[in-house]
């Protein structure tokens, strides 16, 4: 039993670490290309420097994402050999296509980063766009695998493993459209908010820094658009979960008794009558299944799923609110808001996207337990027979901690290089 | 030819490509560790310069191989993940530290001391990883991984803690170092640097020969099935003849300083060694209990995988050609990315 927990903890840790870098690998190239385009249009050297800084950031984050992704591809087998041994063939297709996307991403990133002086400006820009497109494609394909684990389809389960395998059906399991759009948006949202937060931080200390004002003007549109779209997509996604995985929805809402016209219970004892029925089924009198209707041994860990869900919705709402206020001011003043209050708000909102991304992922993964393949194979049946799994768990925990700290350290130095005046650290600043 | 044979070829093919590209990158790390003489700094710069644009791409062959293995031969993937849990985990640590250290060193050019520390992490991980990789290959070929039904019955240590497996690990290390040195002779911008790596390539070539001989001799005891395959299958003999010919050619070309062709010959030699391993254990994926057809996924899954492989090839190969065209070896530019 302890080994199962260590295996889950190691997988969870590896994924929690990886998705931050994967998200950055999806979104930063878009921001990098946007700055590059602005630089070409305006001839402004700040935008050029920004796109170069973002390219360096992409390189560091992509490399860490690539190695942590390699770890994951092995860990699928190292930790869950029964699952991969039986269902590897069913989900091989999206994984292979993800490999293709990953390949093109690495190739064009190499050309973009090192080829500035070697290729034509057109080809250089094209490479940047290819990096952005392949990043999105690889997130898309790998999310399809997760959709499959939540809503398995495309095979007939037997005691000896799957038969009648239809890889294309498995690849597009029910709900794929909601989950992939939710995940892709979250990647852009988390990265844009983080970038906005960083530059807001610098602007509070150096209000006149033109470079950082411009950087903010690149991050804010993406942040605002994604923050407003995300609740809509999230709602569609929740409606799908309500139909396909009622026990997960019940855990998300901590909903124990089956009832018609179920209220939505917010934190602090506030209830919206019939709110949950409306949210889940778009019908005020719809029946919402409660946890008590399911066998006890098929409940996900309710408090954890509930808390993670609240965290995701809460942070998501805050971000949407900030986006609304920002866009309203943008519309009134014809300029991105740059008052002290708004800058503080963007600084404080900086980490929210990453928090929401991690929380949302936890909702999906904890909410699927105790199944690795919902309704077909339990996590406990899939785990490796190898003993002493605490050893790799603690090793990888230490490694990821070390890498995480190092990356933050390097990112801080990247930003420091752009600081105006005497604070600019020597050596690297404007050294292009 | 059945779909599983085609996929078997594809898996072997990605391993060959990983050895030729990813392996040479590991070799670069070895020479970074062993950099010496008056041009120590230039040697390291050349290695970093040659690796920079391509290391991530080269590394992806491994992932393609892994995905093909679990999608095409899921049972073998599961068995190997259990039997080789320990060395594979260590290999992962090597891969993580190597990639991270190389990137951090490249993109964070601060004082020499920090650079050197990252460089040391990079090169130690580059030595560790090939040995572990070879070790796993040796364990797979040895026949010491035993399976009943879907259960590994030979334990988590015995299959790879054998002299044979470690000899294969040593061969992998020598081979990758040899490849890297030969490639670098062609990439080197000055005659002096070329000579440095020519000497290293010749030395590593001798080491490859010795290690290969050791593998062959220990195979008799340590990997009887492969020993049979190596000596008695007709196609295996053709492969050996080809390998020997390529090895002698590579040596001669290095000796006479025809570096451009030396690297073709060296790559051929390395590729044939990997193919020779695959051929000698055919039709087994994990000797002696799991065959290609026994581990293969269903026919529909296999066909879809082949389609994905073709789609992938049509996307990746032109892009790769572009990448290698852009980064053809040329004079070292005075300012590098990361400065």
């Amino acid at each position: 039993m302890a080994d199962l927990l260590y295996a889950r903890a190691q997988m969870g840790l590896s994924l929690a670490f990886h998705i931050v870098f994967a998200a950055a690998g999806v979104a930063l190239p878009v921001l990098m290309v946007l700055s590059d385009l602005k630089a070409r249009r305006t001839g402004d050297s700040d935008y050029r420097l920004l796109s170069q800084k973002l390219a360096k950031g992409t390189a560091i984050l992509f490399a860490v994402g690539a190695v942590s992704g390699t770890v994951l591809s092995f860990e699928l087998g190292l930790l869950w050999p029964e699952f991969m041994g039986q269902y590897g063939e069913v989900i091989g297709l999206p994984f292979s296509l993800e490999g293709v996307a990953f390949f093109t991403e690495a190739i064009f990133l190499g050309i973009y980063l090192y080829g500035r002086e070697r290729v034509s400006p057109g080809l250089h820009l094209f490479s940047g766009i290819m990096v952005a497109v392949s990043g999105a494609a690889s997130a898309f394909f790998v999310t399809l695998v997760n959709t499959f684990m939540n809503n398995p389809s495309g095979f007939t389960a037997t005691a000896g493993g799957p038969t009648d395998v239809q890889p294309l059906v498995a690849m597009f399991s029910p709900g794929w459209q909601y989950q992939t759009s939710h995940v892709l948006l979250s990647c852009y949202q988390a990265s844009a908010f983080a970038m906005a937060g960083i530059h807001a931080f610098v602007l509070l200390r150096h209000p006149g820094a033109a470079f950082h004002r411009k950087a903010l003007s690149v991050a804010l549109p993406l942040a605002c658009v994604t923050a407003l779209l995300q609740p809509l997509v999230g709602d569609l996604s929740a409606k799908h979960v309500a139909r396909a995985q009622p026990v997960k929805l019940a855990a998300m809402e901590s909903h124990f008794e089956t009832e018609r016209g179920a209220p939505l219970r917010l934190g602090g004892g506030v209830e919206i009558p019939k709110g949950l029925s409306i949210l889940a089924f778009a019908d005020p009198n719809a029946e919402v299944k409660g946890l008590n209707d399911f066998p006890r041994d098929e409940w996900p860990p309710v408090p954890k799923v509930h808390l993670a869900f609240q965290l995701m919705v809460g942070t998501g709402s805050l971000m949407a609110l900030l986006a609304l206020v920002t866009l309203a001011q943008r519309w009134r003043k014809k300029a991105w808001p740059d008052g002290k209050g708004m800058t503080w708000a963007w600084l404080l909102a900086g980490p929210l996207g990453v928090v929401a991304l991690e929380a949302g992922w936890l909702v999906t993964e904890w909410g699927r337990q105790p199944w690795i393949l919902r309704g077909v194979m339990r996590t406990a049946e899939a785990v490796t027979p190898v003993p002493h799994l605490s050893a790799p768990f603690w090793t990888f925990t230490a490694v990821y901690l070390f890498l995480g700290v190092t990356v933050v350290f390097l990112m801080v130095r990247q930003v420091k290089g752009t600081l105006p005046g005497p604070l600019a650290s020597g050596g690297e600043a404007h050294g292009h | 030819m059945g779909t599983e044979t085609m996929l078997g070829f594809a898996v072997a093919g990605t391993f060959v490509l990983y050895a030729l590209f990813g392996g040479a990158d590991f070799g670069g790390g070895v020479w970074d560790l062993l950099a010496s003489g008056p041009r120590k700094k230039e040697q390291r710069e050349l290695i970093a310069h040659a690796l920079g644009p391509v290391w991530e791409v080269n590394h992806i062959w491994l992932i393609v191989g892994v995905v093909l293995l679990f999608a095409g031969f899921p049972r073998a993937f599961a068995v190997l993940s259990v039997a080789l849990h320990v060395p594979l985990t260590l290999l992962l640590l090597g891969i993580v530290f190597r990639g991270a250290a190389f990137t951090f060193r490249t993109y964070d050019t601060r004082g020499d001391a920090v650079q050197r520390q990252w460089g040391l992490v990079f090169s130690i991980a580059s030595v560790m990883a090939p040995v572990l990789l070879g070790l796993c290959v040796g364990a797979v070929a040895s026949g010491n991984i035993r399976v009943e039904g879907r259960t590994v019955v030979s334990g988590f240590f015995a299959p790879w803690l054998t002299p044979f497996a470690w000899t294969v690990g040593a061969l992998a290390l020598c081979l990758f170092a040899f490849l890297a040195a030969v490639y670098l002779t062609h990439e080197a911008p000055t005659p002096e640097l070329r000579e440095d790596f020519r000497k290293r390539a010749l030395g590593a070539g001798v080491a490859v020969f010795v290690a290969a001989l050791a593998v062959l001799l220990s195979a008799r005891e340590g990997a009887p099935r492969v020993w049979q395959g190596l000596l008695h299958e007709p196609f295996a003999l053709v492969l050996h003849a080809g390998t020997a010919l390529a090895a002698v050619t590579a040596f001669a070309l290095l000796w006479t300083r025809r570096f451009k062709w030396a690297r073709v010959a060296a790559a051929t030699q390395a590729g044939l060694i990997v193919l020779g391993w695959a051929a000698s254990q055919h039709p087994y994926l994990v000797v002696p209990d799991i065959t290609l057809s026994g581990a293969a996924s269903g026919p529909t899954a296999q066909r879809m995988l082949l389609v994905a492989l073709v789609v992938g090839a049509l996307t990746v190969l032109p892009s790769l050609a572009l990448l290698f065209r852009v980064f053809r070896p040329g004079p070292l530019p005075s300012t590098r990315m990361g400065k």
Side-chain angles (χ1 to χ4, degrees):
Chain A
M1 190 59 207
D3 274 331
L4 172 62
L5 275 182
Y6 277 120
R8 285 183 56 199
Q10 188 181 332
M11 195 72 192
L13 175 84
S14 306
L15 273 162
F17 183 83
H18 175 70
I19 54 177
V20 179
F21 296 94
V26 172
L28 283 192
V30 173
L31 293 159
M32 163 186 101
V33 169
L34 287 176
S35 322
D36 203 341
L37 280 173
K38 276 204 167 182
R40 280 156 201 258
R41 226 182 32 232
T42 60
D44 188 320
S45 63
D46 277 342
Y47 284 119
R48 188 174 151 81
L49 177 63
L50 179 64
S51 88
Q52 285 168 353
K53 287 277 167 194
L54 283 167
K56 270 199 188 187
T58 306
I60 296 174
L61 296 172
F62 180 79
V64 178
V67 292
S68 56
T70 308
V71 172
L72 279 170
S73 66
F74 276 88
E75 276 178 348
L76 286 171
L78 291 175
L79 299 172
W80 318 107
E82 270 304 302
F83 172 59
M84 292 310 286
Q86 291 196 37
Y87 291 91
E89 62 177 290
V90 192
I91 51 164
L93 189 57
F95 270 125
S96 321
L97 295 173
E98 195 231 351
V100 175
F102 187 31
F103 227 134
T104 49
E105 189 177 1
I107 291 171
F108 285 103
L109 188 62
I111 297 179
Y112 189 89
L113 288 176
Y114 291 83
R116 204 177 276 274
E117 271 95 43
R118 291 187 179 221
V119 301
S120 68
L123 181 56
H124 191 249
L125 184 67
F126 172 76
S127 306
I129 294 172
M130 282 302 287
V131 176
V133 172
S134 336
S138 79
F140 175 78
F141 288 123
V142 90
T143 307
L144 290 180
V145 176
N146 194 269
T147 311
F148 170 80
M149 292 166 78
N150 280 302
N151 292 294
S153 65
F155 65 92
T156 311
T158 69
T163 56
D164 302 327
V165 176
Q166 294 172 280
L168 273 176
V169 177
M171 183 157 119
F172 294 103
S173 285
W176 66 272
Q177 57 279 62
Y178 312 114
Q179 215 182 317
T180 50
S181 16
H182 200 45
V183 165
L184 273 172
L185 269 180
S186 71
C187 294
Y188 297 120
Q189 188 178 0
S191 308
F193 269 81
M195 176 173 161
I198 290 170
H199 294 289
F201 175 74
V202 179
L203 279 174
L204 280 173
R205 295 173 66 185
H206 308 273
F211 172 80
H212 296 274
R213 208 164 287 281
K214 290 171 192 164
L216 207 55
S217 80
V218 172
L220 286 187
L222 189 64
C224 289
V225 171
T226 50
L228 291 178
L229 281 178
Q230 191 65 294
L232 305 177
V233 175
D235 177 59
L236 291 175
S237 194
K239 285 190 165 60
H240 174 76
V241 169
R243 275 175 279 128
Q245 293 176 272
V247 67
K248 184 187 267 185
L249 182 85
M252 280 153 65
E253 296 289 355
S254 243
H255 183 69
F256 286 88
E257 299 298 333
T258 300
E259 53 188 321
R260 296 194 159 273
L264 185 66
R265 296 182 185 87
L266 302 175
V270 187
E271 275 196 13
I272 300 173
K274 301 186 188 260
L276 184 54
S277 288
I278 296 174
L279 267 185
F281 296 100
D283 169 5
N285 294 314
E287 181 185 88
V288 182
K289 287 246 185 212
L291 284 158
N292 289 338
D293 269 14
F294 297 92
R296 190 71 182 77
D297 72 338
E298 288 184 15
W299 288 17
V302 178
K304 287 188 202 163
V305 178
H306 181 61
L307 186 71
F309 183 62
Q310 300 282 317
L311 193 60
M312 177 187 77
V313 172
T315 46
S317 309
L318 281 177
M319 287 187 282
L321 188 69
L322 179 58
L324 271 182
V325 176
T326 305
L327 286 177
Q329 292 203 19
R330 168 88 176 85
W331 182 67
R332 254 195 8 239
K333 295 187 190 161
K334 306 269 177 282
W336 291 106
D338 55 359
K340 206 154 187 178
M342 283 308 278
T343 314
W344 263 105
W346 277 102
L347 163 62
L348 293 176
L352 294 187
V354 175
V355 172
L357 176 74
E358 295 279 7
W361 163 72
L362 285 172
V363 171
T364 317
E365 304 300 74
W366 274 333
R368 195 188 58 239
Q369 298 305 323
W371 305 100
I372 192 165
L373 195 54
R374 191 179 59 84
V376 179
M377 182 185 270
R378 283 175 188 258
T379 313
E381 298 167 55
V383 74
T384 180
V386 174
H388 307 300
L389 292 180
S390 59
F393 167 73
W394 288 115
T395 310
F396 278 98
T397 304
V399 168
Y400 284 143
L401 207 62
F402 172 71
L403 288 184
V405 170
T406 311
V407 168
V408 170
F409 192 64
L410 294 187
M411 288 296 154
V412 169
R413 287 227 278 238
Q414 287 290 316
V415 177
K416 265 195 183 163
T418 63
L419 291 184
L423 269 170
S425 51
E428 207 192 19
H430 306 294
H432 287 271
Chain B
M1 197 192 306
T3 44
E4 77 256 17
T5 316
M6 288 195 220
L7 280 174
F9 267 112
V11 172
T14 51
F15 285 172
V16 169
L17 289 166
Y18 185 57
L20 294 188
F21 295 106
D25 289 358
F26 287 125
V30 174
W31 297 121
D32 186 285
L33 186 68
L34 299 180
S36 60
R39 287 171 296 280
K40 206 169 168 173
K41 194 160 163 270
E42 286 84 349
Q43 290 168 6
R44 288 192 170 130
E45 273 178 8
L46 171 64
I47 293 164
H49 177 74
L51 280 182
V54 291
W55 80 265
E56 258 159 336
V57 174
N58 293 346
H59 161 82
I60 294 172
W61 292 114
L62 176 65
I63 298 182
V64 174
V66 168
V67 171
L68 282 179
L69 197 62
F70 73 59
F73 307 95
R75 210 162 82 86
F77 179 72
V79 164
L80 293 175
S81 301
V82 173
L84 300 176
H85 187 102
V86 181
L88 286 177
T89 302
L90 294 174
L91 172 68
L92 282 179
L93 288 175
I95 289 174
V96 167
F97 274 107
R98 198 186 112 73
F102 182 75
T103 309
F104 296 164
R105 187 178 72 165
T106 311
Y107 292 100
D108 197 49
T109 47
R110 302 261 144 174
D112 278 353
V114 179
Q115 286 271 85
R116 231 8 252 149
Q117 278 162 19
W118 282 126
L120 201 63
V121 174
F122 162 68
S123 42
I124 290 173
S126 297
V127 174
M128 225 177 92
V131 173
L132 288 160
L133 206 61
L135 194 85
C136 291
V137 167
V140 170
S142 69
N144 292 331
I145 298 177
R146 298 308 305 263
V147 186
E148 279 170 17
R150 278 208 295 255
T151 314
V152 176
V153 291
S154 47
F156 312 114
F157 293 94
W160 54 276
L161 283 178
T162 65
F164 175 72
W166 285 85
T167 322
V168 179
L171 173 62
L173 182 62
C174 297
L175 188 64
F176 293 168
F178 170 66
L179 271 182
V182 178
Y183 291 176
L184 287 167
T185 57
H186 184 56
E187 305 245 345
T190 63
E192 295 80 14
L193 265 179
R194 281 195 167 185
E195 280 307 306
D196 286 353
F197 283 104
R198 175 175 170 264
K199 278 186 216 133
R200 284 165 173 74
L202 290 171
V206 174
V208 169
F209 179 74
V210 173
L213 203 63
V215 167
L216 189 68
L217 292 178
S218 61
R220 186 176 192 158
E221 289 284 308
R225 162 74 216 178
V226 169
W227 168 256
Q228 283 293 318
L230 284 173
L231 293 185
H232 299 288
E233 299 280 349
F235 55 82
L237 289 177
V238 173
L239 277 173
H240 294 320
T243 312
L245 188 67
V248 171
T249 312
F251 220 81
L253 290 169
L254 275 175
W255 195 260
T256 54
R257 298 188 171 77
R258 273 170 261 185
F259 299 115
K260 192 174 174 186
W261 290 104
R263 60 187 219 159
V264 176
T268 310
Q269 178 192 351
L272 287 176
I273 289 179
V274 179
L275 277 183
W277 154 55
S280 66
Q281 68 166 60
H282 182 83
Y284 295 101
L285 247 173
V286 184
V287 184
D289 291 328
I290 296 186
T291 57
L292 270 184
S293 55
S297 50
T300 325
Q302 297 236 328
R303 271 198 298 275
M304 284 310 300
L305 203 55
L306 283 173
V307 172
L309 209 59
V310 173
V311 172
L314 291 177
T315 318
V316 168
L317 294 181
S319 316
L320 266 183
L322 177 69
L323 180 78
F324 286 118
R325 223 179 87 87
V326 169
F327 297 106
R328 264 188 309 237
L332 277 176
S334 52
T335 52
R336 284 184 301 128
M337 174 85 201
K339 277 267 169 74

